[in-house]
Amino acid sequence: MAGAATADDKGTASEKIVALLAVVVFAVIGWGFLALFRGFTIPCTKKKVKALCTTVQIPPLVGMIIMGCIARNFLGEFMEFYPNNWAHHIRTVCLSVILLRGGLELDFRGKGITVVLLTLCPQICEAIGVAAVSRLIFGLPWALCFANGFTLAAVSPAVLVPSMMHLHTEKYGVKKGIPTTLIAASSFDDIIAITIFGVCKTIAFREAPGAVAEEDDSIGKEVGINIGQIFAGLAVGLSVGWCMRIFNKCHKPGEKNKCLMWVKFIVCLFMAFLVPIVCEITKFYEAKFVCIIFFGYMCFMGWGEDKPEHYLAVFWGFC
């Protein structure tokens, strides 16, 4: 509707920033409250806060979600200025950072078939089950049923990757490669879920009464474009990641160089910010996460354990 104003049209820039910061503050309060029960290390320091309760531990992310919902829905007119468009870009960058961390841990050696099965079997079974239930209860078109199915079947990297990184640090399941296998499977799980969701959404819009899709916009064309974007992201991620081997010439093998590690961190962070922005501008929406995952993978292949994982983990703590 031409005359309708969206949430991003309302308020000044300062009002939008204040509304966004209010949600962030509430989320931090929720994180801090639950983090006290399980203990945590203060970012940028080695100081540890002892756990108040060791018998029952709830991930601090749950507190952030609950407090974020409260702030978003119960602050009244104050939240009318909440900048949804800004929040969308911030979430995209945060997801890019966490997928980059996952890419830096990918290790397929001896785990190829396991990663494939963990990626496809649980996701497809869950998506089919949700689609059938959606059809039975809500009577939705099959395209929307499967779009809903792959929405719910997608693994949350914000939950899984930090948890697996913690297990990896504590040496749980490292000999069998369980943490890295799950990180690899979850990364591809998200790529497949996002791609199939996009295709199902396109089909749903085309089949809807008064469809908004263009006449020459076929389903086959949409699938082809998505696949092309995925391969483009794959090619760019592998190419740029391979170029990161140049850092190996800046120090001797086994030598610890803190300054160089900071440079690697800045380059990785720059890519995590740049890739989503470029993909949004060029409309290669399906390429961004594939690109950033395989960029991280190639960095890991070139750098080995001499990677800025700790720096990215600290940065992620502020996301």
Side-chain angles (χ1 to χ4, degrees):
M1 294 176 64
T6 63
D8 290 303
D9 296 328
K10 296 180 180 180
T12 62
S14 59
E15 288 174 326
K16 293 177 182 179
I17 292 172
V18 171
L20 185 62
L21 287 176
V23 175
V24 172
V25 169
F26 268 69
V28 170
I29 293 172
W31 177 88
F33 180 75
L34 289 183
L36 288 174
F37 284 88
R38 61 183 298 173
F40 63 94
T41 302
I42 300 174
C44 301
T45 69
K46 294 184 179 180
K47 295 181 179 179
K48 293 186 176 181
V49 178
K50 292 184 178 180
L52 297 178
C53 177
T54 56
T55 53
V56 179
Q57 294 188 352
I58 302 174
L61 186 64
V62 175
M64 297 175 71
I65 293 172
I66 294 173
M67 293 300 291
C69 290
I70 292 173
R72 188 70 175 88
N73 292 280
F74 293 97
L75 291 184
E77 296 181 359
F78 185 71
M79 281 293 108
E80 288 185 6
F81 307 120
Y82 184 78
N84 290 299
N85 192 36
W86 296 6
H88 164 71
H89 291 300
I90 293 172
R91 287 194 300 268
T92 301
V93 169
C94 290
L95 179 58
S96 180
V97 171
I98 198 65
L99 289 177
L100 174 60
R101 288 186 65 195
L104 286 169
E105 295 295 329
L106 290 184
D107 187 2
F108 299 110
R109 288 169 292 188
K111 309 188 191 88
I113 188 65
T114 305
V115 171
V116 171
L117 292 175
L118 277 175
T119 300
L120 296 177
C121 293
Q123 183 185 60
I124 291 175
C125 291
E126 185 177 351
I128 292 174
V130 172
V133 173
S134 299
R135 179 76 173 186
L136 181 65
I137 297 177
F138 303 110
L140 296 174
W142 278 113
L144 282 181
C145 289
F146 278 100
N148 185 36
F150 280 96
T151 299
L152 296 180
V155 172
S156 172
V159 176
L160 188 138
V161 172
S163 300
M164 292 300 104
M165 295 295 296
H166 177 71
L167 291 180
H168 189 270
T169 303
E170 297 294 328
K171 305 299 181 183
Y172 289 109
V174 173
K175 285 187 177 180
K176 295 183 178 179
I178 293 173
T180 53
T181 301
L182 288 175
I183 288 173
S186 69
S187 301
F188 293 113
D189 178 283
D190 287 319
I191 294 171
I192 293 172
I194 291 170
T195 303
I196 297 180
F197 171 81
V199 172
C200 291
K201 184 180 71 172
T202 301
I203 297 172
F205 276 115
R206 284 184 57 82
E207 293 179 345
V212 296
E214 297 178 3
E215 293 181 0
D216 61 342
D217 185 20
S218 65
I219 295 172
K221 178 183 176 182
E222 180 69 21
V223 174
I225 290 174
N226 287 346
I227 294 175
Q229 291 182 5
I230 289 173
F231 277 102
L234 177 64
V236 172
L238 291 175
S239 301
V240 179
W242 185 84
C243 293
M244 295 298 105
R245 294 170 183 261
I246 193 173
F247 287 107
N248 294 339
K249 298 180 180 180
C250 300
H251 67 101
K252 297 178 181 179
E255 180 185 3
K256 296 293 182 180
N257 190 324
K258 192 172 182 179
C259 181
L260 185 62
M261 191 65 71
W262 271 103
V263 175
K264 289 180 180 180
F265 165 67
I266 293 171
V267 170
C268 287
L269 202 59
F270 176 75
M271 282 295 293
F273 278 78
L274 180 66
V275 169
I277 294 172
V278 172
C279 290
E280 289 287 333
I281 293 173
T282 58
K283 297 184 179 180
F284 272 59
Y285 304 114
E286 306 297 335
K288 52 181 178 279
F289 298 131
V290 179
C291 179
I292 202 67
I293 287 173
F294 281 96
F295 167 75
Y297 171 68
M298 288 304 293
C299 288
F300 172 61
M301 290 291 100
W303 297 339
E305 293 302 322
D306 192 24
K307 56 191 176 183
E309 163 55 31
H310 173 69
Y311 298 84
L312 287 170
V314 173
F315 179 83
W316 169 252
F318 292 99
C319 289

